[in-house]
Amino acid sequence: MSNITQLLRARKRRHRKYNNVALRRTSLGIAMLLSIFAVLLFIGGTIFYAVVTRDLPSVETIHLLLAPPDGMLLQPTRFYDRSGEHILVELENPAIEQREYVPIKSETNQAKATLPTKLVEATIAIADPTFWHHPGFTTNNLLDPEEHNTLAQQLVSNLLLWNEAPSQRRAIRERLLAAQITSNYGREKVLEWYLNSAYYGNLTYGVDTAAQVYLGKSAADLSLAEAALLAGVAQAPSINPHNAPDEAITRGHEIIAILLDQGNITTAEAQKARKEIIEFREAVSPQETIAPTFINLVWEQLSPHIPIKRLERGGFEIITTLDYDLQIQAACTTKIHLARLEENATSTLPQSCEAARLLPTLTFGTSDRPNNLAANVIILTPHTGEILTFINESPSEVVSAHPTGTTISPFIYLTAFTRGLNPASLLWDIPTIFSEEINQIANPNGEFHGPMRLRQALANDYPIPALATMRQIGAENVWRTLEQFGISAPSSQTKNMITAECPECQTANLFTLLNGGDTTLLKMAQAFGALANQGFFVGKITNEQDILQIRPITIQQINDVKGQIWLDNNTRDTQAVTSTQLAYLMTHILSDEAARWGSLGHPNPLEIGRPAAAKLGRTKQGDDVWTIGYTPQLVVGVWVGRGASDSFEAGELTPKVASTLWHAVMQYSTRDLPAEVWDAPPGITTMAVCDPSGLLPTKSCPSVVNEIFLNGHEPTQPDTLYHTYQVNRETGRLATVFTPPELIDESVYLLVPPEASQWAQDAGLSTPPESYDVIYSPKPSPDAQITAPEMFTNQKGELSIRGSASGDDFRSYRLQVGKGLNPQNWLAIGEDITTPVESGQLETWDTAGLNGLYAIQLIVVRSEQRVDTNTIQVTIDNQCPQVVILYPENGQTLAYQTNPSITFQVQVNDNLGLDRVEYYLDAEKIATQTQSPFALFWRVQRGEHTLKVKAIDMAGNKNKMLVTFVIE
């Protein structure tokens, strides 16, 4: 063999060996990749399976739910009162006598009713034709979580996975469980469970109950036609003999045709079934509950925990917060009250309605008797947030909203408390603040009450002081307070109109106050409940439109019939909506019986024989009246208004229509409770003030009362409303030092601001004389007279007294001063001076530390002890005004809002007479005011601002205060 041949063969051997090695390496790599992929697939599958099967319910649960005689679903869900003794509602069709579990085959030798074979065949034919062949599930529509293709899947979906939202994960879990129950219990048991739990419409679950409700017989006695009909109803529950009888019969015939095609029945059997006339049982009306509106509230609070469909299947006991006795008594009292109002009835009261015997007498004349009235009554516990009673005497069972009217005025004043006002703050109920139209709306009887403390304005429901306060503190601030208390505020458009600076907006402002945004009695009672509970909401947090809110509780506990607790509401949520001190201020006013005697008289329906805070409310037209009141233990709210049609004219409903009903319900509700009071929290001070100014009493103050204040908000200035004047009884003018003492009388007068002068005149109020007495001493001698200062001027500091003291027979002169109109004591200024003065400076008087009216008298002594005198009177004022900026506070940051505005609030006091108050914003003078209240409306601008307020009195004394604030 040649060398070349040998070389070629060696090369081929090397090449073959190399290819074999490469092949082996490639195969090994592929094998490794496949192994890794298999491992990853196994791990992924394991994780996927773990995720899908996590918390997978046990299939044994179905047996516990349906096993007779104690299966959960064999008992209807029941709603009980708070005692657990009275059934309020049974979630079951009233035609059902007893829920029975009927098997497909009898499991004992004893004769027992079983489900007809034709029913089984009809159900399979329409619901799951391949039932006997598949493993309990199919993979059809796997990506559609709403599809349940087999009876086993439907069973699992309804009974095991009811609390899971539709998803592909749920669809897979459903099929796993369907396979398990089919494998563990067999197809026949699955079919039996399905027939005994399927929904047939009208609160009917299980085929035996469906046979009772629609056909008046047991499922064991169904004919072929009836079995086919019920098989169709199970697949479309809305097509049932009560709601759609013709469609239900037609669907039954279609199923008979399917059975015939499948060979399950003969032609003769099909023809006979089609000709059969099925007699349907008439629907039985559901038993009325004593608290339909309350039950609707319970449903709202149940839905986040257990779906309605699951509750309707049965097995639950819902213990509500309803007080059965209070509900019965409040309901019958409300009916009797409305009947009396509409018919002026005086018939004998039912023996069982004890609360109605507490109704005060309230009648109308024949011509003005209201009719077609509706009423709501609610009772809740403020410290637990539980609703004890809800009465809705109206055509609707929905909790309807109504115009709030003046019921919201406590929240106007509560907002004012946060901005420096207090129960003693001076308010005015006078007609000159607003237009005549508004005055008529506000006070229909045409009476205005002049000056009063905030306490009286609120307790007597006087709208004009409330409106004036809202205008002073800013309507937008009031709406924010209302929203904190859960009361709906007006729309943004209405808010903008209210805060606009225009005369016509005043009418809109009052209209909103008296008609307000519509609010339910439930929300209003909860708002007042926070006041009763020292400023705290108590209840359960709910998420409404992504807003967390605390709502009153209607459910104490949810149990199943096996005793397992599903929900326990013993733990309550608490939310502070105002401070304990502010809540106490409001409660103290609303519980002040004497304060409301001015409008309601004594006794009145708001007096129940124990401490109780209460507020009346009315709207502009008089179509809606409210009374909301509370003790420390209970809140009772009442709304009365017109029903479906407007059958009476405006103004016919008075607040007493609601307050008399409130009186009876509140008295009955608290009959077994101890009388409790609200203890003053730390931070509250009680002190004597002058009524109605709310300032410190003076000798001229005719009425001194005790009032409460937040610490640091007590008055520091004496009363400025009442002053004592000395008057010449003959001339009716202010007495002076020249008036003969025997003609002087002292009288106390109420001083009113210019805007109240017309009210004072209409009320016949005496006002002090505006001019001084014209009785003077003889004209002074040119050689003995004071020329400066001028008579009755205001002076301060070091006073230069000028004039003349001279003449041919001049010997000496001296100056003396005395305090008051008729000084009884005189004080010499310096020594006797023997040097005459003509039109020059007589003396210098240092008035430091002196304040008030003073007389200055010049005495010129002449030869032979003759004396010439000249007397003038001046007011000495060395005290600067006091000025405090209440709002905004120094360093405060305020939010810029749509159509924003704020009201600068200033407290200014002066001992003798204030001339003016000047406002400077960022060093620029923006306003001057001469009369209280000192409040200035300002449209905000973003940025940092400095507000300076300067007060100047009649003597020229000045004082100022500055604050810096930021608008973001």
Side-chain angles (χ1 to χ4, degrees):
M1 183 180 296
S2 65
N3 292 333
I4 295 175
T5 303
Q6 292 177 352
L7 181 62
L8 290 173
R9 289 179 177 177
R11 184 179 297 176
K12 287 182 179 180
R13 286 195 298 269
R14 288 195 300 269
H15 184 69
R16 189 181 300 113
K17 181 178 181 182
Y18 175 80
N19 287 340
N20 291 336
V21 171
L23 181 61
R24 286 196 299 271
R25 288 177 178 176
T26 302
S27 301
L28 181 61
I30 293 173
M32 291 180 65
L33 288 175
L34 290 174
S35 299
I36 293 172
F37 179 76
V39 170
L40 292 177
L41 185 62
F42 175 78
I43 295 174
T46 302
I47 295 174
F48 175 76
Y49 183 80
V51 170
V52 169
T53 59
R54 187 176 61 245
D55 301 325
L56 196 67
S58 170
V59 294
E60 295 180 0
T61 302
I62 297 182
H63 176 75
L64 297 176
L65 291 173
L66 293 171
D70 301 322
M72 279 184 59
L73 300 187
L74 301 182
Q75 301 293 328
T77 293
R78 295 184 175 95
F79 292 69
Y80 292 88
D81 73 332
R82 65 187 300 107
S83 70
E85 298 177 357
H86 301 279
I87 298 176
L88 305 178
V89 172
E90 254 185 358
L91 294 185
E92 186 171 64
N93 192 298
I96 300 173
E97 297 179 2
Q98 178 68 37
R99 290 193 181 189
E100 294 287 352
Y101 183 95
V102 183
I104 292 178
K105 293 180 180 179
S106 178
E107 298 179 358
T108 65
N109 294 327
Q110 299 177 354
K112 187 175 182 180
T114 58
L115 294 176
T117 301
K118 297 306 182 186
L119 173 65
V120 173
E121 293 173 348
T123 300
I124 293 174
I126 187 64
D128 191 358
T130 61
F131 176 76
W132 298 108
H133 306 290
H134 61 64
F137 70 93
T138 69
T139 57
N140 297 337
N141 302 313
L142 182 60
L143 298 181
D144 187 353
E146 297 288 350
E147 286 293 331
H148 315 290
N149 302 310
T150 70
L151 295 182
Q153 286 181 236
Q154 293 183 45
L155 196 63
V156 168
S157 176
N158 292 331
L159 302 186
L160 296 183
L161 299 179
W162 55 268
N163 58 343
E164 293 188 20
S167 66
Q168 290 185 10
R169 176 178 181 269
R170 183 186 190 275
I172 295 173
R173 288 159 62 87
E174 176 185 295
R175 285 163 172 79
L176 287 174
L177 289 171
Q180 286 184 29
I181 64 169
T182 303
S183 173
N184 293 353
Y185 295 97
R187 290 181 174 82
E188 191 172 272
K189 197 64 176 178
V190 169
L191 180 58
E192 183 176 289
W193 280 341
Y194 171 80
L195 288 170
N196 280 278
S197 63
Y199 182 52
Y200 291 85
N202 295 312
L203 289 177
T204 303
Y205 291 87
V207 68
D208 188 68
T209 57
Q212 294 180 48
V213 169
Y214 297 125
L215 304 171
K217 61 174 62 175
S218 169
D221 301 326
L222 294 175
S223 66
L224 171 59
E226 293 169 337
L229 181 143
L230 291 183
V233 173
Q235 299 308 304
S238 60
I239 304 176
N240 61 71
H242 287 167
N243 300 106
D246 293 339
E247 291 87 344
I249 292 174
T250 300
R251 190 171 177 81
H253 289 173
E254 293 172 355
I255 295 174
I256 291 172
I258 294 174
L259 291 173
L260 179 61
D261 291 341
Q262 293 177 350
N264 291 318
I265 59 174
T266 65
T267 302
E269 288 176 322
Q271 291 177 348
K272 179 181 178 182
R274 290 192 189 101
K275 293 179 179 179
E276 181 180 341
I277 299 175
I278 302 176
E279 295 183 3
F280 296 140
R281 181 182 181 183
E282 290 186 4
V284 178
S285 300
Q287 184 177 2
E288 293 185 3
T289 176
I290 65 168
T293 303
F294 176 83
I295 294 299
N296 285 342
L297 294 175
V298 175
W299 276 118
E300 290 179 7
Q301 296 191 5
L302 276 173
S303 57
H305 303 286
I306 304 176
I308 292 177
K309 289 296 184 184
R310 178 61 187 88
L311 287 168
E312 289 178 345
R313 286 188 175 275
F316 289 99
E317 295 177 345
I318 291 93
I319 310 299
T320 70
T321 61
L322 186 124
D323 187 304
Y324 188 84
D325 177 65
L326 286 185
Q327 180 75 18
I328 294 293
Q329 292 295 320
C332 68
T333 302
T334 302
K335 287 183 178 180
I336 290 171
H337 180 63
L338 294 182
R340 283 181 172 182
L341 292 175
E342 295 181 1
E343 303 172 8
N344 212 12
T346 57
S347 58
T348 304
L349 292 172
Q351 187 69 29
S352 60
C353 195
E354 298 178 21
R357 303 180 186 278
L358 301 171
L359 284 168
T361 302
L362 180 64
T363 57
F364 290 88
T366 304
S367 61
D368 60 357
R369 183 188 310 149
N371 53 42
N372 198 32
L373 295 177
N376 295 159
V377 178
I378 190 171
I379 305 174
L380 58 82
T381 54
H383 56 284
T384 64
E386 295 180 347
I387 299 176
L388 303 182
T389 294
F390 202 116
I391 308 300
N392 189 359
E393 284 295 327
S394 65
S396 171
E397 293 180 1
V398 178
V399 181
S400 302
H402 309 286
T404 58
T406 59
T407 319
I408 66 169
S409 59
F411 304 98
I412 297 175
Y413 293 117
L414 190 69
T415 308
F417 290 161
T418 66
R419 284 157 173 77
L421 273 68
N422 54 66
S425 294
L426 174 63
L427 301 178
W428 291 85
D429 182 27
I430 54 178
T432 54
I433 294 179
F434 307 109
S435 68
E436 186 62 29
E437 177 187 1
I438 294 179
N439 292 325
Q440 292 176 357
I441 295 172
N443 284 7
N445 58 8
E447 295 182 4
F448 297 91
H449 307 87
M452 63 184 64
R453 285 176 290 146
L454 183 151
R455 176 180 295 271
Q456 273 68 36
L458 173 56
N460 291 283
D461 197 35
Y462 295 144
I464 284 184
L467 176 58
T469 300
M470 184 165 68
R471 187 176 65 175
Q472 176 183 343
I473 63 177
E476 65 278 9
N477 296 319
V478 176
W479 306 138
R480 280 196 289 270
T481 298
L482 288 170
E483 288 168 347
Q484 288 175 356
F485 278 82
I487 299 175
S488 301
S491 64
S492 299
Q493 181 180 2
T494 305
K495 289 183 185 178
N496 294 339
M497 180 175 62
I498 292 169
T499 55
E501 289 182 295
C502 58
E504 63 271 17
C505 296
Q506 292 181 352
T507 301
N509 204 346
L510 183 60
F511 181 84
T512 303
L513 172 66
L514 295 184
N515 276 355
D518 289 356
T519 299
T520 65
L521 179 62
L522 174 59
K523 290 185 177 181
M524 190 66 76
Q526 185 189 21
F528 278 81
L531 297 176
N533 196 42
Q534 300 179 320
F536 291 89
F537 274 157
V538 178
K540 278 294 179 181
I541 293 179
T542 61
N543 190 339
E544 298 181 10
Q545 298 179 348
D546 295 328
I547 299 176
L548 295 180
Q549 296 179 323
I550 288 186
R551 290 292 179 236
I553 294 173
T554 58
I555 303 170
Q556 285 188 333
Q557 191 168 284
I558 302 176
N559 308 320
D560 60 31
V561 294
K562 300 293 186 180
Q564 180 182 354
I565 297 176
W566 288 61
L567 175 67
D568 192 336
N569 269 340
N570 284 332
T571 302
R572 308 299 161 88
D573 299 314
T574 302
Q575 177 186 356
V577 290
T578 190
S579 71
T580 299
Q581 290 76 16
L582 292 178
Y584 179 78
L585 291 184
M586 187 55 59
T587 295
H588 197 274
I589 295 173
L590 296 178
S591 62
D592 188 344
E593 292 185 353
R596 50 184 178 246
W597 289 349
S599 60
L600 298 182
H602 175 65
N604 60 70
L606 299 186
E607 297 173 0
I608 60 170
R610 65 171 63 210
K615 178 65 177 69
L616 302 177
R618 58 187 173 93
T619 57
K620 179 175 71 73
Q621 294 90 346
D623 295 345
D624 303 84
V625 287
W626 302 69
T627 300
I628 313 288
Y630 53 89
T631 66
Q633 305 105 316
L634 292 178
V635 178
V636 174
V638 173
W639 168 86
V640 179
R642 56 185 174 183
S645 62
D646 183 5
S647 55
F648 54 88
E649 296 179 357
E652 288 191 359
L653 287 183
T654 70
K656 285 188 176 181
V657 169
S659 64
T660 49
L661 178 56
W662 178 88
H663 174 91
V665 174
M666 178 60 93
Q667 272 206 321
Y668 184 84
S669 302
T670 58
R671 70 198 186 286
D672 296 328
L673 298 176
E676 295 182 3
V677 298
W678 294 271
D679 295 326
I684 298 294
T685 301
T686 301
M687 63 182 298
V689 297
C690 183
D691 184 38
S693 71
L695 300 176
L696 298 178
T698 64
K699 291 188 295 184
S700 301
C701 180
S703 175
V704 178
V705 296
N706 286 327
E707 191 54 275
I708 60 172
F709 301 88
L710 295 176
N711 284 357
H713 290 72
E714 303 90 341
T716 58
Q717 295 298 313
D719 173 63
T720 57
L721 278 183
Y722 290 100
H723 291 269
T724 300
Y725 291 87
Q726 291 183 326
V727 179
N728 185 327
R729 77 171 67 95
E730 290 187 352
T731 64
R733 297 174 182 264
L734 294 173
T736 69
V737 69
F738 316 110
T739 305
E742 64 274 11
L743 298 180
I744 297 176
D745 288 337
E746 287 193 347
S747 300
V748 177
Y749 292 92
L750 172 66
L751 301 186
V752 300
E755 61 267 21
S757 58
Q758 184 61 50
W759 165 81
Q761 180 179 343
D762 295 341
L765 192 69
S766 298
T767 57
E770 296 182 356
S771 59
Y772 285 91
D773 202 348
V774 295
I775 302 176
Y776 293 106
S777 59
K779 185 176 181 180
S781 167
D783 297 329
Q785 65 174 337
I786 300 173
T787 58
E790 296 182 2
M791 177 79 81
F792 302 129
T793 58
N794 291 70
Q795 303 294 331
K796 66 174 181 175
E798 192 173 85
L799 184 61
S800 175
I801 304 174
R802 302 181 61 84
S804 298
S806 60
D808 295 338
D809 50 359
F810 172 83
R811 297 280 300 274
S812 64
Y813 75 88
R814 66 175 179 271
L815 284 166
Q816 60 184 18
V817 295
K819 188 172 184 179
L821 281 171
N822 293 286
Q824 302 301 310
N825 297 296
W826 296 89
L827 176 67
I829 303 176
E831 304 292 335
D832 287 356
I833 300 174
T834 57
T835 302
V837 176
E838 292 186 1
S839 300
Q841 180 169 298
L842 299 173
E843 188 62 87
T844 298
W845 178 28
D846 186 0
T847 66
L850 302 179
N851 290 283
L853 184 66
Y854 281 82
I856 304 175
Q857 189 174 65
L858 170 64
I859 302 175
V860 179
V861 181
R862 303 187 184 280
S863 59
E864 299 180 359
Q865 298 300 311
R866 287 188 305 107
V867 176
D868 288 337
T869 61
N870 181 214
T871 306
I872 66 169
Q873 286 191 311
V874 294
T875 298
I876 303 300
D877 185 0
N878 286 297
Q879 184 172 316
C880 292
Q882 289 190 343
V883 54
V884 177
I885 299 176
L886 301 175
Y887 184 80
E889 298 177 0
N890 191 40
Q892 187 173 6
T893 299
L894 305 173
Y896 186 94
Q897 298 180 351
T898 304
N899 196 20
S901 63
I902 64 173
T903 301
F904 299 138
Q905 298 172 42
V906 181
Q907 179 177 312
V908 179
N909 295 296
D910 188 70
N911 59 324
L912 292 174
L914 187 67
D915 181 45
R916 65 190 184 276
V917 174
E918 298 175 348
Y919 295 82
Y920 296 83
L921 187 65
D922 301 329
E924 180 182 350
K925 186 176 180 180
I926 59 173
T928 299
Q929 294 179 338
T930 59
Q931 296 288 341
S932 63
F934 295 106
L936 183 65
F937 183 87
W938 177 62
R939 294 253 179 222
V940 303
Q941 298 175 3
R942 285 191 171 93
E944 183 175 345
H945 302 280
T946 299
L947 172 66
K948 180 175 72 173
V949 178
K950 182 188 296 184
I952 303 100
D953 66 16
M954 302 298 293
N957 297 299
K958 302 177 181 179
N959 201 356
K960 65 182 179 180
M961 182 178 180
L962 292 87
V963 296
T964 300
F965 61 97
V966 176
I967 303 293
E968 289 187 345

